[in-house]
Amino acid sequence: MKSVLAIRHVAFEDLGSFEAVFQHHGFDVTYVDACVEDLSAVDAAAPDLLVVLGGPIGVYEEDTYPFIRREVALLQARLERQLPTLGICLGAQLIARAMGARVYPGPAKEIGWKPLQLTEAGRHSAVAHLDGASTSMLHWHGDTFDLPEGATLLASTDLCAHQIFSVGAHVLAFQCHPEVLGDTLERWLVGHACELAANHIDVPELRADGLLFSRQLAQQGSLCLTQWLVQTGLVK
């Protein structure tokens, strides 16, 4: 059976709608909680697919959260072998750092729903399913990163130029959240309550937008992930 190992940073930021796609295609899904489990014991080459999920910390906070160093080392070992790797939000930032790119606070927090603007390369890739004409997208981040050397930019927004990038056929990294499920978004609203309050985010509006947009995003996100899995050779 094919395997997915998902590195998780907070319990409610999980694989979301992507998990159903993996189950449909016969993957065995396992989670590792980065902050409490020993990442140095994880075999970087063992899973067929490694997914690194989101979280509320910064990649540059390794002195405060030492496990970040082990996570970056794990990603470097994986990427050197050119093995299928998927990153979401913090996961994308960690991939960028593992590839030698700078990760740093962005010009402003980007929290809420807005459509993506695809590049020409993006329109000819799996992320074409996430074009703004097809779906809105959930954004929830304050940091950004330089585009890693050898990466292809696939999508942007007005506040964040580097929203999605790929590296060959084996890496896909999302600064945004194509995996979010409307049924579990309330966990995000509670779990990130302090951040939302500090940034004066209208929670009822964010909740309403989630109800409005999340079902379509789940459909388009599933199409995107499935096409990418075919391109990597993990799914026929």
Side-chain angles (χ1 to χ4, degrees):
M1 179 178 286
K2 293 167 291 189
S3 61
V4 173
L5 180 66
I7 299 180
R8 182 170 51 190
H9 303 92
V10 287
F12 55 85
E13 291 199 35
D14 55 22
L15 287 166
S17 65
F18 283 8
E19 187 155 357
V21 176
F22 293 134
Q23 291 173 346
H24 175 75
H25 289 289
F27 287 86
D28 178 57
V29 176
T30 302
Y31 285 94
V32 170
D33 290 303
C35 54
V36 295
E37 298 187 51
D38 183 9
L39 294 179
S40 63
V42 175
D43 181 353
D48 293 294
L49 174 62
L50 180 69
V51 183
V52 187
L53 297 167
I57 61 175
V59 172
Y60 44 79
E61 296 182 287
E62 58 265 77
D63 289 341
T64 304
Y65 304 103
F67 72 83
I68 292 173
R69 294 189 180 92
R70 295 189 289 275
E71 194 164 3
V72 170
L74 173 64
L75 277 166
Q76 288 173 333
R78 177 105 185 157
L79 296 172
E80 285 172 0
R81 294 171 170 84
Q82 298 188 356
L83 297 173
T85 306
L86 180 68
I88 297 175
C89 199
L90 176 59
Q93 297 161 17
L94 286 160
I95 290 173
R97 168 63 71 87
M99 294 183 65
R102 187 171 64 105
V103 182
Y104 50 93
K109 289 273 188 178
E110 189 173 36
I111 300 176
W113 292 82
K114 71 169 72 166
L116 292 171
Q117 303 158 12
L118 301 192
T119 65
E120 184 66 20
R123 287 189 288 272
H124 292 87
S125 74
V127 305
H129 297 288
L130 303 177
D131 184 78
S134 300
T135 183
S136 193
M137 177 63 67
L138 179 65
H139 306 272
W140 203 310
H141 65 96
D143 290 343
T144 188
F145 48 81
D146 294 336
L147 192 66
E149 184 176 353
T152 300
L153 181 65
L154 303 178
S156 305
T157 59
D158 55 342
L159 281 179
C160 182
H162 300 153
Q163 280 286 351
I164 308 176
F165 70 85
S166 62
V167 182
H170 65 286
V171 173
L172 186 60
F174 298 92
Q175 176 74 297
C176 50
H177 285 279
E179 86 294 358
V180 70
L181 275 173
D183 293 345
T184 59
L185 186 57
E186 196 68 24
R187 296 175 185 168
W188 294 50
L189 302 181
V190 174
H192 293 308
C194 293
E195 181 183 25
L196 294 172
N199 290 278
H200 308 291
I201 303 297
D202 186 322
V203 174
E205 181 180 350
L206 188 57
R207 179 185 294 115
D209 285 347
L211 291 172
L212 181 63
F213 297 124
S214 61
R215 181 170 294 181
Q216 183 66 20
L217 175 59
Q219 293 175 0
Q220 298 304 118
S222 296
L223 292 171
C224 171
L225 177 60
T226 299
Q227 183 175 332
W228 183 71
L229 290 172
V230 171
Q231 291 171 351
T232 63
L234 291 172
V235 168
K236 294 183 180 180

